[in-house]
Amino acid sequence: MERDSQLKLYGQVADQLKEAHAKVRALQVPEGVRMALTRKLLVVTAAAKHDLPDAARRLDRLMKDLDEGRFPEGD
C-alpha cells in the first residue's frame, strides 16, 4: 500500500515538474533569472531521486513563488 502512495506521489511530482518547466520557458524574464529558475528545477529533480516528499515540498514552494511573481535574481 505504501508503494502505491509513493508511485502516486512520483506521478504528481513528475506532472508538476513538467508544468513548472513550461511556466519557466514561457516567462518573459532576463536570461539570468531563467537560468536561476532552471537550476532550482534541476535541484528539485535531483532531490526527487533521494527524498520524494522533500522534492514535492520544494516544488510546491517554487510553483507558489512562480504564481506570485517572486523570482530569484539572475547572475
Side-chain angles (χ1 to χ4, degrees):
M1 193 83 133
E2 183 178 326
R3 182 160 170 76
D4 289 340
S5 65
Q6 190 80 351
L7 286 174
K8 183 178 178 182
L9 181 59
Y10 181 79
Q12 291 170 342
V13 169
D15 290 343
Q16 200 171 13
L17 273 170
K18 287 169 68 174
E19 180 184 339
H21 276 280
K23 279 187 177 189
V24 168
R25 275 193 310 273
L27 288 174
Q28 299 295 319
V29 294
E31 189 60 28
V33 172
R34 185 180 321 284
M35 288 174 59
L37 289 167
T38 300
R39 282 192 297 272
K40 285 181 175 259
L41 287 170
L42 290 173
V43 167
V44 170
T45 302
K49 296 176 184 177
H50 305 285
D51 188 348
L52 192 56
D54 180 54
R57 285 188 295 275
R58 288 178 183 218
L59 188 53
D60 284 341
R61 268 195 314 269
L62 178 58
M63 292 295 283
K64 184 176 180 185
D65 287 346
L66 288 176
D67 290 342
E68 295 177 1
R70 290 192 306 260
F71 308 123
E73 292 184 23
D75 296 342

